[in-house]
Amino acid sequence: MESSLSYESGHDLNLKATELRLGLPGTADEAPEKQFFPTKRTSSEMINSALDSDNADRETCAPPAKAQVVGWPPVQSYRKNCFQPKKAEPDSSGNFVKVSMDGAPYLRKIDLKVYNSYSDLLKALETMFKCTIGVYSEGEGYNGSDHAPTYEDKDGDWMLVGDVPWEMFVNSCKRMRIMKGSDAKGLGCL
Amino acid sequence: MNYFPEEVLEHVFDFLTSHRDRNAVSVVCKSWYTIERFSRERVFIGNCYAISPERLIERFPRIRSLTLKGMPHFADFNLVPHDWGGLVYPWIEAMAKSGVNLEELRLKRMVVSDEGLELLSRSFANFKSLVLVSCEGFTTDGLAAIASNCRFLRELDLQENEVEDHRGQWLSCFPDSCTSLISLNFACLKGEVNLAALERLVARCRNLRSLRLNHAVPLDSLQKILAQAPQLVDLGTGAFVGDQNSESYHKLQSSIQKCTSIRSLSGFLEVAPCCLDSIYAICLNLTSLNLSYAPGIHGSDLIKLIRHCRKLQRLWVLDCIGDKGLEVVASTCKELQELRVFPSDPLGVGHAAVTEEGLVAISFGCPKLHSLLYFCQQMTNAALITVAKNCPNFIRFRLCTLNPVIPDPVTSQPLDEGFGAIVQSCKGLRRLSLSGLLTDQVFLYIGMYAEQLEMLSVAFAGGTDKGMIYVLNGCKKLKKLEIRDSPYGNGGLLKDVGKYETMRSLWMSSCEVTLGGCKALAKKMPRLNVEIIDESGQIGVNPDDDRQKVEKMYLYRTLVGPRSDAPEFVWTL
């Protein structure tokens, strides 16, 4: 039975299988039949980087993602909710976070639970702060404006809004800041 | 065969109860089709968007029982946005208007509204049975309507639904004249119920066989209920917490002992382990035990309980049972057919307490095992090969490693060989879920050996388009394929487009398919709905950029074209 990958019989340990690199698991390091240029960190990369602490030389600029992947392990959300009764109380009163914008005289508060997606949230922020945030782009931050929406996550790191799946963002966002001008450009992955 | 008068054929068809048999019979010839359609009373629709309510009623005017499934399976894991669809209201409305004599409605992963339940309760005088599994969108007000208006209700079975609880008196809405209940399951409701009303209801429904209570029903209510219903066959307890030394606890023990018909036990949503003594008496005859919502039962209490259950055929537990606990299961439960081991820590951040060792022990002790769902820390090829040899009767085999790309920890190899052994040995395998480090090789095996496979779930697999192609080419009976976070692109998607008309559906998320690939598929196959779920709005911004990757695609065969209730973030190409 032929295999498209060469796991040479001489290598008992086959470290290649566990080697952590940017490619998806299973792709050999001779030219893979299918070129895969990640324009977005795939979930498997996130898993690999979360499990490997010395990730500093990766191409991405954001700190390693958490070890949680959306929908994994595949446990029904009903079952998950049963095991997290503590969440019930804070959840029912909304998930309010402070939002600051550079140059604005005061902060605002928004309830993240009210929104279903990044586009909902960003539209609301644009209305609230009367600014243009533009369109998210993996490689260039936010195109078409001088502003970049950022947030502080549970670790205390400042992240660009939009990199991680929506649910993960809602669960980890503690506060937000809309950066302006040269600061905003600096945060984009260049 | 047309020598027989219609009535004779109808009588013969009466003996055909399975949907597949009836479907097969209906395509033999025109007259069989006609006879069959007028005599069909039970219809199963695996994808509510494959057909319309109007066409269903037109073909099967005598329908009495309808089973509908809505959202794709991955909706269970938050991969499908709310408001995607799957509303049942149009079905209820259409049947109500057409004067269908609906008696039974069974729904899975659908959106049910209070208005729908109200309409249901008022439109069908003989309505008897409502079964809702993993549904959402309704409140206890809708249940109140069902209780109030369905005079001949036999079954109200709510399994794992998200129900908004208005803490009202829905249970009190069953009139005093209601004595027909056979099955009542409200374990998934979060709110209080009127305990006195519940006790009276149980007392007057002498045919009650199955009763599953929610968290809010305390031990002393349970005692009163069991005293009135010793005929119960299936019991789900509510909170199982009480004072072992109290008189009510002693009463409970004697009430339970009189329930000699109980074969299925679940619940223990909250539990004081010292109270478990009371149930040992019924353990000997149990064939089904579900402790997967009972994190309070673990360690030696759990083991002790299991040791009493020698006749168990189905066991659902949490992984805190550990490999050692599974060894006890293996030595005690020789009749075991179905095992599910769920993570105690559903976020998966910690460590699962079971490994391949527990599964191997089970396979040695329980050769009749045919259904498995197993969340574990790790798995080895050697273990899977052993399991395959010991248990060749698997119909459902679902394995989930906490780290989705973990290799065999002993050899560092992918798990291709292990799963390959499973599909080769288990010739009747119909459902398979893979996890761990995987390459194209495992899919080559699946394509070669899994001849009866109907549903395959793939997550974080490695390899190339070849993997997907092996499966699509090889698995002749494939109905549902769901793939996430795997490197399959247009090459795999477009290789054999005709295949999708032989299947119910295909889900691909976080793969490599592009907008152009999906468009090409939609163009070639007009009888498929190719839906793109565009949550971020990016596709909407650049609808002509065919090179962009599609984050979530769901396609399914249908006879009725694009659905009219698609929300704005869903594009049907």
Side-chain angles (χ1 to χ4, degrees):
Chain A
M1 223 162 296
E2 59 166 330
S3 167
S4 59
L5 308 148
S6 59
Y7 284 100
E8 295 163 39
S9 50
H11 292 214
D12 295 317
L13 284 180
N14 195 2
L15 293 171
K16 279 198 178 35
T18 49
E19 182 185 281
L20 296 170
R21 45 199 170 90
L22 264 182
L24 286 172
T27 54
D29 59 315
E30 70 257 11
E33 292 184 30
K34 195 174 179 311
Q35 279 301 329
F36 174 58
F37 297 101
T39 53
K40 181 176 187 167
R41 277 163 62 90
T42 62
S43 309
S44 54
E45 290 173 326
M46 281 163 47
I47 295 161
N48 287 335
S49 65
L51 299 171
D52 174 24
S53 51
D54 49 351
N55 213 4
D57 56 342
R58 300 290 183 240
E59 283 174 27
T60 58
C61 348
K66 308 296 173 291
Q68 277 182 316
V69 176
V70 173
W72 198 269
V75 174
Q76 258 196 320
S77 38
Y78 169 83
R79 185 176 283 278
K80 275 192 189 154
N81 294 339
C82 282
F83 283 86
Q84 292 173 276
K86 288 178 218 138
K87 262 211 170 181
E89 291 109 70
D91 265 2
S92 55
S93 57
N95 182 5
F96 283 90
V97 298
K98 290 183 190 170
V99 186
S100 62
M101 177 154 105
D102 294 354
Y106 48 77
L107 280 60
R108 304 295 303 268
K109 250 196 170 167
I110 56 170
D111 178 3
L112 290 179
K113 293 188 78 54
V114 160
Y115 309 103
N116 290 321
S117 66
Y118 282 121
S119 55
D120 278 356
L121 171 64
L122 295 174
K123 269 192 221 124
L125 290 177
E126 286 180 329
T127 310
M128 191 182 258
F129 289 97
K130 312 232 179 321
C131 65
T132 315
I133 295 181
V135 174
Y136 172 77
S137 139
E138 180 87 33
E140 291 156 24
Y142 280 80
N143 281 330
S145 83
D146 254 358
H147 296 94
T150 67
Y151 69 101
E152 184 183 359
D153 73 357
K154 286 188 174 137
D155 288 341
D157 297 317
W158 284 92
M159 321 280 293
L160 184 69
V161 169
D163 282 336
V164 302
W166 173 252
E167 296 282 1
M168 193 183 296
F169 163 72
V170 168
N171 288 331
S172 55
C173 172
K174 279 182 16 196
R175 51 190 297 171
M176 293 184 62
R177 174 182 165 202
I178 302 179
M179 297 176 102
K180 211 164 82 157
S182 52
D183 281 352
K185 286 301 174 202
L187 195 67
C189 293
L190 298 168
Chain B
M1 281 307 263
N2 285 343
Y3 319 142
F4 295 123
E6 265 184 38
E7 301 81 49
V8 174
L9 280 174
E10 231 182 88
H11 184 64
V12 172
F13 291 172
D14 270 350
F15 291 97
L16 299 174
T17 47
S18 104
H19 302 290
R20 288 167 203 229
D21 288 343
R22 283 222 159 227
N23 291 344
V25 141
S26 68
V27 295
V28 165
C29 64
K30 261 201 165 145
S31 72
W32 279 37
Y33 175 87
T34 306
I35 296 168
E36 196 282 319
R37 73 176 252 257
F38 281 109
S39 63
R40 174 119 55 152
E41 293 185 342
R42 312 182 63 87
V43 180
F44 169 83
I45 297 179
N47 173 7
C48 64
Y49 291 119
I51 192 69
S52 70
E54 291 73 28
R55 283 182 67 166
L56 166 75
I57 297 165
E58 196 192 313
R59 181 170 171 192
F60 299 118
R62 304 240 173 94
I63 181 178
R64 296 215 190 164
S65 163
L66 176 62
T67 302
L68 278 173
K69 292 188 175 184
M71 292 193 260
H73 175 231
F74 278 173
D76 283 354
F77 319 127
N78 292 333
L79 291 181
V80 177
H82 284 299
D83 309 331
W84 173 85
L87 288 88
V88 73
Y89 191 87
W91 294 84
I92 300 175
E93 192 180 25
M95 287 188 289
K97 279 198 183 128
S98 308
V100 161
N101 181 17
L102 192 68
E103 293 183 6
E104 177 178 271
L105 187 61
R106 310 169 74 96
L107 307 177
K108 186 167 187 179
R109 272 185 226 105
M110 294 199 70
V111 176
V112 181
S113 62
D114 286 344
E115 292 73 32
L117 291 175
E118 171 93 25
L119 183 61
L120 180 70
S121 73
R122 291 193 187 286
S123 308
F124 307 106
N126 291 323
F127 193 75
K128 295 193 172 68
S129 172
L130 181 63
V131 180
L132 303 179
V133 180
S134 301
C135 297
E136 57 181 14
F138 60 105
T139 77
T140 45
D141 295 348
L143 298 177
I146 297 287
S148 306
N149 302 326
C150 299
R151 293 195 301 144
F152 303 114
L153 195 69
R154 288 198 202 152
E155 181 176 23
L156 178 60
D157 185 359
L158 308 172
Q159 298 175 33
E160 297 170 339
N161 303 288
E162 302 278 2
V163 185
E164 198 180 300
D165 203 315
H166 289 170
R167 290 166 171 74
Q169 295 287 327
W170 71 272
L171 212 141
S172 319
C173 292
F174 282 106
D176 290 341
S177 54
C178 172
T179 57
S180 49
L181 276 182
I182 297 180
S183 168
L184 177 62
N185 172 6
F186 60 92
C188 64
L189 297 186
K190 303 296 183 202
E192 310 292 315
V193 287
N194 183 324
L195 296 174
L198 173 61
E199 289 158 24
R200 286 195 309 270
L201 179 65
V202 170
R204 63 181 183 270
C205 293
R206 309 308 312 159
N207 291 322
L208 194 66
R209 290 270 173 284
S210 168
L211 179 64
R212 296 189 188 184
L213 310 169
N214 77 345
H215 190 278
V217 180
L219 212 56
D220 52 329
S221 276
L222 177 63
Q223 183 274 315
K224 291 182 199 149
I225 287 167
L226 291 180
Q228 294 286 351
Q231 77 281 4
L232 281 180
V233 170
D234 168 29
L235 173 67
T237 70
F240 209 78
V241 179
D243 178 3
Q244 218 185 349
N245 299 315
S246 67
E247 199 195 310
S248 79
Y249 183 76
H250 290 305
K251 275 194 198 167
L252 176 71
Q253 277 189 302
S254 67
S255 295
I256 290 182
Q257 271 166 3
K258 297 205 177 84
C259 295
T260 54
S261 303
I262 293 185
R263 297 288 173 270
S264 168
L265 190 60
S266 61
F268 303 99
L269 308 171
E270 201 187 311
V271 54
C274 56
C275 296
L276 291 175
D277 291 22
S278 53
I279 62 167
Y280 293 150
I282 51 174
C283 283
L284 183 57
N285 288 320
L286 281 186
T287 55
S288 170
L289 180 60
N290 180 358
L291 298 177
S292 66
Y293 288 102
I297 306 180
H298 52 258
S300 54
D301 296 312
L302 179 54
I303 307 271
K304 198 170 170 195
L305 184 58
I306 302 266
R307 284 201 200 278
H308 282 87
C309 303
R310 306 201 140 270
K311 293 194 186 159
L312 225 47
Q313 294 171 17
R314 178 189 334 179
L315 176 63
W316 291 21
V317 279
L318 294 171
D319 64 3
C320 54
I321 193 173
D323 287 333
K324 291 285 173 236
L326 289 177
E327 283 168 30
V328 175
V329 173
S331 62
T332 310
C333 310
K334 295 307 189 184
E335 302 299 313
L336 198 67
Q337 296 174 21
E338 177 182 334
L339 175 66
R340 294 196 190 187
V341 181
F342 293 95
S344 319
D345 172 18
L347 294 180
V349 186
H351 278 258
V354 298
T355 69
E356 76 278 8
E357 291 182 13
L359 185 59
V360 168
I362 292 281
S363 76
F364 277 111
C366 312
K368 294 187 183 177
L369 197 63
H370 61 58
S371 287
L372 180 73
L373 173 60
Y374 196 71
F375 285 83
C376 56
Q377 183 65 27
Q378 63 186 41
M379 185 51 57
T380 64
N381 285 310
L384 286 174
I385 291 168
T386 303
V387 170
K389 222 185 326 182
N390 291 342
C391 299
N393 299 318
F394 273 115
I395 300 175
R396 292 169 212 99
F397 191 88
R398 299 197 277 160
L399 195 81
C400 176
T401 53
L402 273 204
N403 173 351
V405 293
I406 193 172
D408 179 328
V410 173
T411 64
S412 301
Q413 296 281 349
L415 293 181
D416 299 336
E417 297 304 312
F419 283 111
I422 294 285
V423 293
Q424 197 173 0
S425 165
C426 305
K427 309 220 183 296
L429 193 68
R430 298 208 299 250
R431 183 169 179 184
L432 179 63
S433 296
L434 308 167
S435 65
L437 187 65
L438 301 166
T439 73
D440 285 340
Q441 187 69 11
V442 68
F443 299 106
L444 180 63
Y445 289 140
I446 292 172
M448 274 186 66
Y449 294 112
E451 290 174 11
Q452 302 300 320
L453 194 66
E454 295 178 5
M455 181 170 176
L456 180 64
S457 305
V458 179
F460 302 98
T464 68
D465 281 335
K466 274 189 182 175
M468 184 172 174
I469 294 170
Y470 289 142
V471 170
L472 293 175
N473 276 347
C475 299
K476 299 299 176 206
K477 297 209 174 168
L478 194 65
K479 288 207 154 46
K480 290 195 284 186
L481 179 58
E482 47 186 24
I483 304 172
R484 63 168 292 187
D485 294 87
S486 301
Y488 310 126
N490 298 339
L493 181 69
L494 298 174
K495 189 72 201 283
D496 179 8
V497 296
K499 174 77 176 176
Y500 305 125
E501 269 193 16
T502 70
M503 291 167 55
R504 186 186 297 170
S505 64
L506 168 68
W507 168 281
M508 291 180 79
S509 60
S510 303
C511 295
E512 297 302 308
V513 293
T514 68
L515 186 58
C518 295
K519 282 182 185 172
L521 177 57
K523 195 160 180 208
K524 279 192 200 157
M525 304 294 296
R527 288 199 296 191
L528 298 179
N529 278 353
V530 180
E531 293 188 5
I532 308 290
I533 297 174
D534 183 28
E535 283 172 285
S536 62
Q538 277 183 297
I539 302 207
V541 168
N542 293 318
D544 295 322
D545 179 8
D546 285 355
R547 290 161 310 154
Q548 60 184 317
K549 298 232 189 79
V550 167
E551 185 58 28
K552 292 178 182 172
M553 178 202 74
Y554 179 58
L555 66 84
Y556 52 89
R557 66 180 175 190
T558 177
L559 294 176
V560 290
R563 55 187 175 110
S564 53
D565 65 356
E568 53 170 24
F569 54 81
V570 170
W571 305 80
T572 306
L573 299 177

